[in-house]
Amino acid sequence: MARKAKIEREKRLQRTVDRYAKLRNHLKAEHNYEALSKLPRDASPVRLHSRDELDGRPHAFLRKFGMSRLNFRKLAHEGKIPGVKKASW
């Protein structure tokens, strides 16, 4: 489980990105890079980090399922992820 402070920081970053998204797109369309550079750094979506939705783990994140490999494996074994079954060869 990730620290609560890290999870809350990611949520705050996401809110900041959402708040400035429309303005960023407008400035990019106008090629106004000077005004774009004066926006807060945290307004850039590149600064976001993918985290597991269940426990906040930042590493080994599977984009397709929105969770880390650990939670994916646990839920797949329990049969709670549709269309996923254990492979054997």
Side-chain angles (χ1 to χ4, degrees):
M1 177 91 185
R3 289 188 354 221
K4 297 289 184 188
K6 293 287 187 177
I7 295 171
E8 291 304 316
R9 180 179 183 273
E10 289 294 327
K11 289 179 184 176
R12 181 184 54 82
L13 280 171
Q14 183 63 53
R15 286 192 304 267
T16 305
V17 168
D18 294 342
R19 184 181 314 132
Y20 286 98
K22 191 174 181 180
L23 179 60
R24 284 182 61 83
N25 290 334
H26 178 69
L27 293 174
K28 277 187 176 184
E30 290 182 346
H31 302 290
N32 190 351
Y33 298 111
E34 184 177 337
L36 193 61
S37 68
K38 292 182 180 178
L39 292 177
R41 284 187 177 183
D42 288 343
S44 174
V46 175
R47 294 174 68 94
L48 292 176
H49 195 86
S50 299
R51 286 186 175 269
D52 187 333
E53 294 177 7
L54 301 174
D55 64 4
R57 180 181 166 87
H59 298 292
F61 181 79
L62 302 174
R63 286 184 186 182
K64 184 174 181 179
F65 300 99
M67 62 182 73
S68 67
R69 65 179 175 83
L70 303 175
N71 286 324
F72 174 78
R73 185 172 190 269
K74 183 179 80 172
L75 293 175
H77 279 296
E78 293 172 2
K80 294 184 178 176
I81 302 175
V84 175
K85 63 180 181 178
K86 186 176 184 324
S88 60
W89 59 90

